[in-house]
C-alpha cells in the first residue's frame, strides 16, 4: 500500500498548496497563543514546535494520516512483541530492555522479562566485581580501562552515551572505543592501554562482523603477547546474541553476556551492548538511564497522538520531507557532551528508514528517510550555519539544549544559551532589506546581508543533562523514527542495504592480501583501484 494514494495524504497535498506561502512571521502574528499551543512536555523533555511551518490544521491532517496508516495499532504491536520486523521474521523489543515496570511481554508465547532481568543482574554483579576489585586482571591488578570493540550499533550508542555522561563516571574508570577496521584505530587505542589493567568488551550481536572480529583478534594477540594466553579469561568478555561464535573466539561461557535477536543493533544500547556504559557510570546511573527510556516509552505508548512528542516530531519530519521536499535534518546539540549524538542518530535514522520498497515489497515513488547530520552548537555556527541561514536548501533543524549546566560555569552557559535562542530567532524571522536600508547599510551590500528567515527549527529541551533525561531523549528519537517508518510504510528494522558492500569486500580482500593477480571476477572500475593499491605497497 502506497501512502501517497491515501485520502489523508491527498488532503495534506492540497493543504500544502495554500500553506506553503505562509511565513513564520505571519503564523505568529495571526495566533498570539501559538507558542503556548505548540509547546509540549513529557518524560522530562520539553519541545517548542512553534518555529515550524505548520499549525493546528496541518497537525490535524498529519494525525489523520497517522491514524489511516494505523500508527497506534502498529505501535501496540511492537510493544506486545509481535514480529513486526517482517523481512527477518523478528519481534522488535528494545522497549522490553528498559521495561522498568516489569510487566510481562511475550514473544512466541514466552515472557521475555525474566531473561532480561537475569542478564541485567549478571551485568550488575559483574560491574560490582570490577569496581570493587574482586574481578582482577591476570597479574592481580584492578581493571580500570574498558575497551569496547564493536561497530555500528555495537559502538555508536555506548560511545555516544559514555561521552555524554562523563560527568557521572565512576572514579578511576576510563572507556575507549575501537570500531574501524582501519588498523590505525586499534593501534591508536592500544598505544594508550596498559594490558594489566585493561578489560576488552567484544561487542557484536552476530559475532561475525569483519571489523570487530579483526580488531578483537589483534587485541587478543596484543594481550597474550604481554600477559600469556591464560590472560584472556580475565581480560575479555563478549556481548553477543551468538554464544557459539563467542565461545569459538575463546571467550568462556561465563564471560558472555547475551541478548536476543529481537534487539536490533541500532536499538541495543540498553541491552548487554551497554556494558561499557554501566561500567563507566555505575549501576545507579545506568538504572536512571533505563528509567528515562522507559518514561518516554510509556508516553509514546499511551499519550494521545496530539500530545505525543515522538509522534509529533515524526509527523513534522514527514511534512518537511514529503511536502516541502527537504532532504536533510540537522541535529544541533547545544551541549558538547552530545558531540556524538548526531552520528548516533545517523545510524538510528538512516539505517532504519533509508529504504525504497514498501512493507509489501513494492518500489516506492516518494521520499523516505532524510539525511541526518549535525555538530554541536556553537561550533556549527562557525562552519555550516551560513548554508542553513542563506543557502538555497531548506534544512529543518533540531536545536537541543539543557537549562542547567553540568559544570559550574554559569556565565559561559548563558552565552551558549544566548546563541541557542538567537540562532532559532534568526532562522525563523531573518532580517529584511527595509530594516537594512533604515540602518543605512550600503545598498550594494543589502542583498548579501539580507536573511530570508522562514527557516524552520524545533527546540528540544530538558532541565539538565542527566542519565534520565538522556534516556528520554534517545527514546524520543527512536519512536520518532518508528512513527516515520509507519507513515512511509517501510520496514524500519532491517538493514539489507549494508549487505552488498560486505559481500563484495570479501571477494576483493583475497586479491589485495595474497597478491593473486586474478582480476577476472572483479569489476573493471574496481580493478583500477586494486592495481593502484598493489603497485604502491
Ligand atoms: O552492517 C550493519 C550492522 O549490521 C548494523 O546494523 C549493526 O549495528 C552493525 O552492523 C554491527 O553488527 P554486530 O553487532 O552484529 O557486529
Amino acid at each position: 500500500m502506497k501512502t501517497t494514494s491515501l485520502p489523508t495524504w491527498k488532503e495534506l497535498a492540497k493543504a500544502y498548496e495554500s500553506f506553503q506561502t505562509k511565513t513564520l512571521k505571519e503564523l505568529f502574528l495571526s495566533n498570539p497563543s501559538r507558542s503556548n499551543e505548540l509547546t509540549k512536555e513529557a518524560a522530562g523533555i520539553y519541545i517548542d514546535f512553534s518555529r515550524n511551518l505548520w499549525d493546528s490544521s496541518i497537525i490535524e491532517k498529519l494525525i489523520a494520516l497517522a491514524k489511516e496508516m494505523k500508527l497506534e495499532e502498529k505501535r501496540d504491536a511492537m510493544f506486545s512483541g509481535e514480529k513486526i520486523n517482517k523481512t527477518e521474521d523478528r519481534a522488535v523489543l528494545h522497549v522490553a530492555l528498559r521495561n522498568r515496570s516489569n510487566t510481562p511481554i511475550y514473544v512466541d508465547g514466552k515472557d521475555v522479562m525474566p531473561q532480561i532481568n537475569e542478564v541485567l543482574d549478571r551485568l550488575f554483579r559483574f560491574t560490582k566485581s570490577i569496581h570493587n576489585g574482586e574481578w582482577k586482571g591476570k597479574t592481580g591488578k584492578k581493571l580500570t580501562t574498558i575497551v569496547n570493540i564493536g561497530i555500528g550499533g555495537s559502538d555508536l550508542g555506548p560511545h555516544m552515551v559514555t561521552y555524554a555522561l562523563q560527568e557521572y563516571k565512576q572514579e578511576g574508570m576510563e572507556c575507549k572505543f575501537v570500531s574501524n577496521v582501519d588498523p590505525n584505530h586499534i593501534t591508536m587505542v592500544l598505544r594508550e592501554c596498559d594490558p594489566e589493567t585493561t578489560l576488552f568488551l567484544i561487542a557484536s550481536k552476530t559475532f561475525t562482523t569483519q571489523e570487530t572480529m579483526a580488531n578483537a583478534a589483534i587485541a587478543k594477540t596484543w594481550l597474550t603477547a604481554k600477559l600469556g594466553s591464560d590472560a584472556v579469561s580475565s581480560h575479555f568478555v563478549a556481548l553477543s546474541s551468538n554464544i557459539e561464535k563467542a565461545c569459538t573466539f575463546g571467550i568462556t561461557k561465563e564471560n558472555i553476556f547475551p541478548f536476543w535477536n529481537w534487539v536490533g543493533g541500532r536499538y541495543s544500547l540498553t541491552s548487554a551492548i551497554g556494558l561499557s556504559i554501566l561500567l563507566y557510570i555505575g549501576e545507579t546511573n545506568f538504572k536512571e538511564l533505563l528509567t528515562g527510556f522507559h518514561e518516554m516509552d510509556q508516553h509514546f505508548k499511551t499519550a494521545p497522538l496530539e500530545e505525543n512528542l515522538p509522534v509529533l516530531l515524526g509527523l513534522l519530519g514527514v511534512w518537511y520531507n514529503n511536502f516541502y521536499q527537504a532532504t536533510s535534518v540537522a541535529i544541533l546539540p547545544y551541549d558538547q557532551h552530545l558531540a556524538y549524538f548526531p552520528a548516533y542518530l545517523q545510524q538510528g535514522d538512516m539505517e532504519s528508514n533509508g529504504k525504497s520498497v514498501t512493507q509489501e515489497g513494492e518500489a516506492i515513488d516518494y521520499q523516505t528517510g532524510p539525511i541526518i547530520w549535525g555538530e554541536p552548537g556553537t561550533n556549527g555556527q562557525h562552519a555550516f550555519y551560513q548554508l542553513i541561514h542563506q543557502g538555497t536548501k531548506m534544512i529543518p533543524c533540531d536545536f537541543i539544549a539543557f537549562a542547567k549546566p553540568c559544570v559550574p560555569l554559569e556565565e559561559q552557559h548563558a552565552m551558549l544559551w544566548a546563541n541557542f535562542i538567537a540562532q532559532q530567532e534568526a532562522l525563523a524571522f531573518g532580517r529584511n532589506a527595509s530594516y537594512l536600508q533604515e540602518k543605512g547599510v550600503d545598498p550594494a551590500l543589502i542583498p548579501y546581508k539580507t536573511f530570508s528567515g522562514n527557516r524552520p527549527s524545533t527546540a528540544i529541551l530538558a532541565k539538565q543533562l542527566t542519565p534520565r533525561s538522556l534516556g528520554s531523549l534517545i527514546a524520543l528519537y527512536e519512536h520518532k523514527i518508528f512513527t516515520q517508518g509507519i507513515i512511509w510504510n517501510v520496514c524500519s528494522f532491517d538493514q539489507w542495504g549494508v549487505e552488498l558492500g560486505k559481500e563484495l569486500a570479501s571477494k576483493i580482500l583475497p586479491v589485495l592480501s595474497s597478491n593473486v593477480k586474478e582480476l577476472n571476477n572483479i569489476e573493471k572500475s574496481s580493478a583500477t583501484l586494486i592495481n593502484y593499491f598493489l603497485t604502491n605497497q
Side-chain angles (χ1 to χ4, degrees):
M1 181 216 350
K2 278 189 194 148
T3 314
T4 44
S5 50
L6 295 175
T8 46
W9 188 277
K10 290 185 178 149
E11 280 279 306
L12 274 162
K14 214 164 93 198
Y16 172 72
E17 285 307 311
S18 52
F19 199 85
Q20 61 171 319
T21 55
K22 293 203 170 146
T23 65
L24 284 169
K25 207 173 210 163
E26 286 160 9
L27 289 169
F28 272 94
L29 280 174
S30 65
N31 180 6
S33 50
R34 180 175 171 85
S35 290
N36 275 346
E37 284 171 16
L38 292 177
T39 49
K40 312 270 173 198
E41 193 170 8
I45 304 288
Y46 177 98
I47 307 191
D48 181 352
F49 288 106
S50 67
R51 277 172 293 278
N52 281 294
L53 292 158
W54 66 353
D55 65 8
S56 55
S57 74
I58 300 297
I59 294 175
E60 221 172 84
K61 289 183 175 55
L62 286 163
I63 287 173
L65 170 68
K67 289 198 165 147
E68 197 164 15
M69 288 305 291
K70 305 209 175 324
L71 173 63
E72 288 153 303
E73 290 85 335
K74 289 176 182 168
R75 172 197 63 191
D76 295 347
M78 172 175 74
F79 276 90
S80 60
E82 274 180 44
K83 295 193 175 168
I84 61 166
N85 176 353
K86 293 215 185 95
T87 67
E88 295 178 316
D89 192 29
R90 290 175 183 166
V92 173
L93 272 182
H94 42 280
V95 292
L97 299 169
R98 60 270 184 142
N99 175 18
R100 303 307 285 160
S101 44
N102 209 20
T103 45
I105 299 179
Y106 298 94
V107 175
D108 291 329
K110 196 175 157 214
D111 181 9
V112 295
M113 289 316 297
Q115 47 182 340
I116 290 174
N117 293 332
E118 191 193 315
V119 174
L120 261 181
D121 281 345
R122 274 188 63 205
L123 290 165
F124 292 149
R125 281 201 303 275
F126 177 73
T127 300
K128 203 170 274 167
S129 70
I130 291 286
H131 287 167
N132 65 19
E134 218 172 89
W135 182 298
K136 291 180 178 52
K138 154 99 189 285
T139 58
K141 287 196 179 162
K142 235 179 133 171
L143 299 178
T144 50
T145 302
I146 310 302
V147 177
N148 186 87
I149 298 181
I151 196 164
S154 300
D155 165 74
L156 290 163
H159 197 176
M160 181 273 286
V161 173
T162 47
Y163 193 81
L165 297 179
Q166 56 189 273
E167 310 306 333
Y168 296 84
K169 83 168 190 165
Q170 297 294 297
E171 216 177 312
M173 295 305 285
E174 291 304 330
C175 207
K176 299 176 189 296
F177 291 85
V178 176
S179 53
N180 201 331
V181 77
D182 176 354
N184 290 307
H185 200 180
I186 188 139
T187 307
M188 290 171 194
V189 170
L190 291 182
R191 208 179 268 153
E192 294 173 351
C193 294
D194 172 357
E196 292 184 84
T197 54
T198 300
L199 173 70
F200 291 98
L201 312 182
I202 311 304
S204 176
K205 181 175 169 182
T206 54
F207 230 80
T208 56
T209 304
Q210 186 198 45
E211 292 90 335
T212 304
M213 293 305 104
N215 282 324
I218 290 176
K220 197 168 150 191
T221 308
W222 176 84
L223 185 92
T224 53
K226 312 227 170 188
L227 301 182
S229 55
D230 56 341
V232 174
S233 60
S234 45
H235 290 262
F236 274 78
V237 303
L239 322 171
S240 185
S241 63
N242 194 338
I243 315 288
E244 209 184 304
K245 282 263 186 319
C247 287
T248 313
F249 177 83
I251 298 181
T252 48
K253 221 165 170 191
E254 314 83 75
N255 290 0
I256 300 171
F257 296 96
F259 59 108
W260 308 273
N261 74 7
W262 39 259
V263 182
R266 53 193 174 275
Y267 299 94
S268 65
L269 77 85
T270 52
S271 71
I273 286 293
L275 180 57
S276 52
I277 304 172
L278 174 57
L279 287 164
Y280 190 62
I281 65 174
E283 182 177 329
T284 309
N285 288 322
F286 191 77
K287 283 180 174 162
E288 277 289 293
L289 179 77
L290 297 182
T291 301
F293 269 99
H294 183 57
E295 284 174 352
M296 186 56 78
D297 292 344
Q298 289 303 108
H299 167 72
F300 177 57
K301 191 177 169 191
T302 57
L305 300 190
E306 298 73 16
E307 299 299 322
N308 201 306
L309 301 186
V311 171
L312 291 170
L313 200 58
L315 293 176
L316 178 63
V318 169
W319 178 234
Y320 289 136
N321 191 62
N322 296 91
F323 296 94
Y324 283 87
Q325 305 300 330
T327 50
S328 78
V329 175
I331 305 293
L332 308 170
Y334 275 66
D335 190 315
Q336 194 60 31
H337 291 101
L338 291 190
Y340 295 110
F341 194 56
Y344 167 75
L345 284 185
Q346 271 173 344
Q347 189 201 13
D349 203 315
M350 293 163 82
E351 199 166 80
S352 296
N353 288 338
K355 311 281 162 72
S356 53
V357 287
T358 64
Q359 289 273 28
E360 294 76 31
E362 294 164 351
I364 280 176
D365 59 1
Y366 47 88
Q367 290 296 319
T368 59
I371 298 157
I372 303 293
W373 61 289
E375 283 290 329
T378 60
N379 290 1
Q381 290 175 203
H382 299 272
F384 53 78
Y385 278 36
Q386 164 66 40
L387 185 146
I388 304 181
H389 282 287
Q390 289 189 317
T392 52
K393 293 170 181 63
M394 178 206 252
I395 301 179
C397 301
D398 285 0
F399 282 81
I400 302 168
F402 303 91
K404 235 176 120 177
C406 288
V407 293
L409 290 168
E410 284 77 10
E411 225 172 284
Q412 196 155 331
H413 186 66
M415 283 184 210
L416 177 75
W417 261 76
N419 279 280
F420 171 76
I421 296 168
Q423 289 298 325
Q424 294 172 79
E425 193 180 306
L427 286 169
F429 306 115
R431 174 137 292 171
N432 59 27
S434 50
Y435 175 90
L436 296 171
Q437 270 156 12
E438 268 171 39
K439 290 281 165 201
V441 172
D442 177 355
L445 289 180
I446 286 181
Y448 305 101
K449 294 194 164 191
T450 301
F451 288 74
S452 66
N454 217 31
R455 293 169 188 249
S457 64
T458 303
I460 301 176
L461 311 171
K463 285 187 183 147
Q464 192 170 22
L465 176 58
T466 61
R468 190 185 280 218
S469 64
L470 183 62
S472 295
L473 182 70
I474 300 169
L476 167 78
Y477 277 97
E478 285 180 347
H479 301 317
K480 169 210 152 169
I481 293 163
F482 179 90
T483 299
Q484 296 186 333
I486 298 301
I487 305 293
W488 292 323
N489 192 25
V490 295
C491 180
S492 300
F493 300 102
D494 60 19
Q495 56 285 318
W496 299 108
V498 299
E499 294 304 323
L500 178 59
K502 288 185 192 172
E503 189 191 309
L504 296 181
S506 68
K507 219 165 86 182
I508 293 166
L509 178 61
V511 186
L512 299 183
S513 42
S514 62
N515 232 346
V516 181
K517 293 272 188 285
E518 191 51 71
L519 300 184
N520 291 344
N521 293 331
I522 302 285
E523 269 288 320
K524 256 214 175 94
S525 65
S526 300
T528 320
L529 302 176
I530 290 169
N531 280 330
Y532 184 86
F533 176 84
L534 293 176
T535 52
N536 285 288
Q537 291 308 298

